[in-house]
Amino acid sequence: MYCDVPRGSVLGPLLFLIYVNDIANASANSDIRLFADHTNVFIHGKSLIETNLTAEGVVKELNQWFVANKISSGIDKTCYSIFGCHDITNR
């Protein structure tokens, strides 16, 4: 089954937002934020290994949501950034 709205239609953006509105519930282990047609996923952990394992689980959960909602994930446009801090008092 193919789901789409005409490009440039007045209802297109509104229908898209209604359609993807529940993606924030796709994973309990992340903070998912929507902006226009972009989705940001924020994940944190106490170590890089823990964060990586959480991220892998979140990606699987999001993929299940994409499949259930007949949306392609655009993995070729997907990127990530790692932010960290070091406790300088323990040096």
Side-chain angles (χ1 to χ4, degrees):
M1 182 175 170
Y2 185 72
C3 302
D4 199 2
V5 296
R7 181 170 230 153
S9 70
V10 175
L11 285 177
L14 178 61
L15 291 173
F16 176 78
L17 290 175
I18 292 169
Y19 194 68
V20 300
N21 191 46
D22 71 331
I23 194 171
N25 300 321
S27 174
N29 296 318
S30 64
D31 184 20
I32 299 174
R33 300 288 181 191
L34 297 172
F35 179 76
D37 62 346
H38 297 331
T39 305
N40 291 304
V41 180
F42 298 92
I43 300 166
H44 60 87
K46 295 182 182 197
S47 70
L48 188 57
I49 293 170
E50 176 188 330
T51 306
N52 187 50
L53 289 172
T54 302
E56 288 176 2
V58 169
V59 167
K60 288 178 184 176
E61 291 169 336
L62 286 171
N63 188 56
Q64 290 173 348
W65 186 91
F66 291 138
V67 169
N69 288 280
K70 299 177 178 77
I71 297 177
S72 60
S73 63
I75 197 73
D76 56 325
K77 296 180 182 179
T78 302
C79 60
Y80 67 93
S81 298
I82 298 174
F83 300 94
C85 63
H86 298 284
D87 185 0
I88 60 172
T89 60
N90 290 333
R91 289 187 178 187

